[in-house]
């Protein structure tokens, strides 16, 4: 079955540091890949997505590239802010598969 | 604005009681989902529905029940058979079940069993 493995947290960085959160996946066929973000006490919000190999999703300064050869979808941001503190989830959804499979989430804390 | 409304935001239950969590969407989405979130375990799928009057079990359906009598509504009942119901419950919807469609989530309901 499909699975997503995420970098374990928590991750603590100083403001303006470079961020990478690793995500690798196992799936048959050509899944769509997503990063969701959850701010404290809230539901999940879509951060970015990519639907085919070599696509780059981007939003709010975050980027992730769909790498089929390494089955990865790592999240990056060049300069993080305190407001980026949240839990980040990598997820995949198989083609024609209604189930969204999530990683365990990575808690990110940015200190001023 | 379109979105998903979950209620209540916080709920306390005594052991042996059934409780129902509400989920309403005005996005005209066909597919709706219930996930459970526990610390360190990510999100796990409880039930999903692709269309009115139809629903399927997810990965952890035991102790839960759902109904889909209206397109906009997908309530979840946590029954007394659920052995460890304390968790954060998230409802989501998408236009249909195809892989590229994004799920829109509600703000969640936190259930605590006393």
């Amino acid at each position: 079955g499909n699975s997503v493995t995420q970098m374990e947290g928590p991750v603590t960085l100083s403001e303006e540091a470079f961020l990478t959160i690793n995500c690798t996946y196992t799936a048959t066929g050509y899944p769509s890949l997503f990063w969701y973000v959850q701010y404290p006490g809230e539901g999940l919000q879509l951060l970015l997505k990519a639907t085919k190999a070599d696509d780059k999703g981007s939003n709010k300064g975050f980027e992730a590239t769909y790498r089929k050869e390494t089955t990865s979808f790592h999240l990056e941001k060049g300069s993080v802010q305190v407001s980026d503190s949240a839990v980040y989830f990598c997820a995949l959804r198989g083609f024609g598969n209604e189930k969204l499979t999530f990683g365990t989430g990575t808690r990110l804390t940015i200190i001023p | 604005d379109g979105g998903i409304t979950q209620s209540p935001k916080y709920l306390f239950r005594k052991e042996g009681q059934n409780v129902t969590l509400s989920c309403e969407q005005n996005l005209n989405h066909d597919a709706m989902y219930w996930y459970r979130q526990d610390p360190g375990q990510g999100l796990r799928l409880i039930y999903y529905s692709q269309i009115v009057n139809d629903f399927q079990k997810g990965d952890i359906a035991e102790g839960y029940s759902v109904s889909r009598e209206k397109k906009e509504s997908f309530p979840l009942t946590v029954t007394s058979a659920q052995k460890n119901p304390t968790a954060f419950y998230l409802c989501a919807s998408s236009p249909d079940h195809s892989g590229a469609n994004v799920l829109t989530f509600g703000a969640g309901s936190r259930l605590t069993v006393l």
Side-chain angles (χ1 to χ4, degrees):
Chain A
N2 296 339
S3 67
V4 175
T5 302
Q6 250 183 272
M7 172 178 169
E8 287 194 18
V11 174
T12 302
L13 296 173
S14 297
E15 206 166 20
E16 299 183 0
F18 183 86
L19 168 71
T20 300
I21 300 178
N22 290 338
C23 172
T24 57
Y25 67 89
T26 301
T28 55
Y30 301 92
S32 295
L33 302 174
F34 307 84
W35 277 101
Y36 281 84
V37 59
Q38 184 179 34
Y39 298 102
E42 298 183 10
L44 275 67
Q45 303 173 24
L46 177 70
L47 182 59
L48 53 84
K49 73 172 187 178
T51 57
K52 61 182 187 295
D54 299 324
D55 270 0
K56 177 185 284 189
S58 61
N59 186 26
K60 301 180 180 179
F62 290 89
E63 293 182 341
T65 301
Y66 188 160
R67 301 286 189 200
K68 190 163 179 63
E69 64 276 14
T70 54
T71 61
S72 65
F73 193 55
H74 305 321
L75 183 68
E76 297 181 336
K77 186 174 185 181
S79 177
V80 292
Q81 306 301 312
V82 172
S83 57
D84 294 327
S85 298
V87 180
Y88 292 82
F89 291 92
C90 186
L92 75 81
R93 199 173 185 192
F95 181 78
N97 185 335
E98 60 283 346
K99 294 172 58 174
L100 190 63
T101 300
F102 286 88
T104 55
T106 302
R107 181 174 299 279
L108 173 67
T109 301
I110 307 301
I111 53 177
Chain B
D1 287 341
I4 297 180
T5 301
Q6 288 187 241
S7 63
K9 190 170 178 64
Y10 300 96
L11 183 62
F12 297 89
R13 186 193 96 174
K14 293 181 180 179
E15 285 194 22
Q17 287 182 334
N18 293 355
V19 294
T20 297
L21 307 180
S22 170
C23 177
E24 303 279 333
Q25 54 103 353
N26 60 3
L27 299 165
N28 200 33
H29 286 173
D30 284 327
M32 297 188 74
Y33 310 81
W34 274 105
Y35 285 87
R36 170 180 170 140
Q37 184 178 17
D38 296 282
Q41 294 194 48
L43 278 73
R44 293 179 291 169
L45 182 64
I46 304 172
Y47 267 98
Y48 64 96
S49 168
Q50 298 179 29
I51 199 168
V52 174
N53 292 323
D54 183 59
F55 48 83
Q56 284 80 42
K57 293 181 179 180
D59 300 319
I60 55 164
E62 184 174 353
Y64 299 97
S65 66
V66 293
S67 63
R68 187 84 188 277
E69 298 176 359
K70 298 185 296 182
K71 185 175 185 177
E72 60 270 24
S73 179
F74 191 43
L76 173 73
T77 297
V78 185
T79 75
S80 57
Q82 170 49 235
K83 299 306 179 188
N84 185 22
T86 294
F88 191 51
Y89 291 88
L90 288 161
C91 180
S93 71
S94 68
D96 58 33
H97 64 275
S98 67
N101 277 325
V102 172
L103 265 64
T104 300
F105 283 84
S109 293
R110 185 169 297 281
L111 172 64
T112 302
V113 174
L114 303 174

